[in-house]
Amino acid sequence: MGEASIHIFDQNGSKEAVSTKAESTYYMYILGNGRGALYVGVTNDLERRLYEHKRKQVDGFTRRYAIDQLLYFQEFPLAQEAIDAEKRIKGWTRKKKLGLIREMNPTFEDLSKDWLTD
């Protein structure tokens, strides 16, 4: 059986082909800005993606509203599972998203605050 791949598009419209092999890890994540804005995204490299958000390298909503605090994330073995979770959660009410964050991160601290060393 051959390896399948799917494409993930970032906010800039750049396309990234990702494998659906089970040994990879994919992430659905929720960011905030400390002033109430939330963003739900998906990536195959959470640390790299947060670096990009924190350095304002990602044009669009997250850059415009300074959304760069990792409040929640979930790991998946398949890219499609992460994408499905992202789509599902994007459809939720704000209250439900906040409840999900509260389960993992009751103090709403930036889970990536110590990731950047430079």
Side-chain angles (χ1 to χ4, degrees):
M1 179 184 254
E3 178 183 333
S5 66
I6 58 176
H7 296 96
I8 296 176
F9 293 86
D10 67 17
Q11 291 179 330
N12 299 318
S14 298
K15 182 170 68 168
E16 175 182 357
V18 293
S19 167
T20 57
K21 288 179 73 172
E23 60 264 7
S24 298
T25 303
Y26 302 90
Y27 302 88
M28 182 281 302
Y29 62 96
I30 302 175
L31 302 180
N33 67 355
R35 296 180 304 281
L38 296 175
Y39 171 82
V40 181
V42 66
T43 186
N44 64 338
D45 186 337
L46 189 59
E47 193 169 339
R48 173 191 51 81
R49 193 65 170 151
L50 264 293
Y51 179 89
E52 293 168 352
H53 284 297
K54 289 182 181 295
R55 294 289 186 244
K56 310 298 184 234
Q57 296 173 345
V58 181
D59 284 333
F61 183 76
T62 59
R63 185 179 193 176
R64 186 172 32 250
Y65 294 99
I67 301 172
D68 63 2
Q69 297 171 11
L70 180 63
L71 301 178
Y72 177 90
F73 68 92
Q74 188 174 356
E75 295 182 17
F76 297 89
L78 299 175
Q80 190 59 55
E81 293 174 337
I83 292 167
D84 291 345
E86 176 195 29
K87 288 178 181 177
R88 183 177 61 253
I89 291 169
K90 279 184 174 183
W92 287 4
T93 64
R94 175 180 179 73
K95 182 178 180 179
K96 193 168 179 180
K97 289 174 192 170
L98 292 173
L100 178 66
I101 294 166
R102 214 171 265 114
E103 289 175 17
M104 173 192 237
N105 185 3
T107 61
F108 287 79
E109 93 176 67
D110 180 1
L111 302 173
S112 66
K113 68 181 179 216
D114 298 325
W115 291 8
L116 298 180
T117 57
D118 58 301

